[in-house]
């Protein structure tokens, strides 16, 4: 899914005071997501009600995308469906 060194570089930049062992554990978890998560490449209207209520406007995600926002939407795949 992601290169571990790139993930570590981002984590170090975002969380400069975090202990190295925490950074390593987080990077391992992110890189290890693999088959248990899949990227949703097409926005589906039925997903909207399940998104966190982070803004009052229900179309805020679409509006942010139109303004150039970039998102990666991942869906957790049940263990029996991952293989």
């Amino acid at each position: 899914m992601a290169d571990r060194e790139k993930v570590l570089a981002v984590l170090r930049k975002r969380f400069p005071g975090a202990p190295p062992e925490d950074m390593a554990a987080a990077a391992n978890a992110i890189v290890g997501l693999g088959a248990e998560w899949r990227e949703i490449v097409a926005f589906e209207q039925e997903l909207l009600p399940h998104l966190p209520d982070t803004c009052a406007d229900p179309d805020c995600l679409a509006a942010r995308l139109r303004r150039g926002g970039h998102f990666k939407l991942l869906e957790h795949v049940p263990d029996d469906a991952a293989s």
Side-chain angles (χ1 to χ4, degrees):
M1 181 174 228
D3 176 82
R4 187 176 185 281
E5 291 307 312
K6 288 181 182 178
V7 170
L8 271 172
V10 169
L11 291 173
R12 286 185 191 115
K13 184 176 179 180
R14 292 284 193 161
F15 308 103
E21 58 273 7
D22 288 350
M23 297 276 194
N28 289 341
I30 292 167
V31 172
L33 288 174
E36 72 181 85
W37 292 89
R38 71 174 168 226
E39 184 175 358
I40 297 174
V41 294
F43 183 79
E44 299 177 32
Q45 191 64 28
E46 62 268 15
L47 292 174
L48 193 58
H50 303 288
L51 295 174
D53 187 19
T54 56
C55 51
D57 177 6
D59 295 323
C60 80
L61 181 60
R64 290 177 67 185
L65 287 168
R66 282 193 295 276
R67 289 192 309 265
H70 297 278
F71 299 89
K72 184 176 275 196
L73 185 59
L74 301 174
E75 176 181 30
H76 187 258
V77 180
D79 288 337
D80 57 343
S83 35

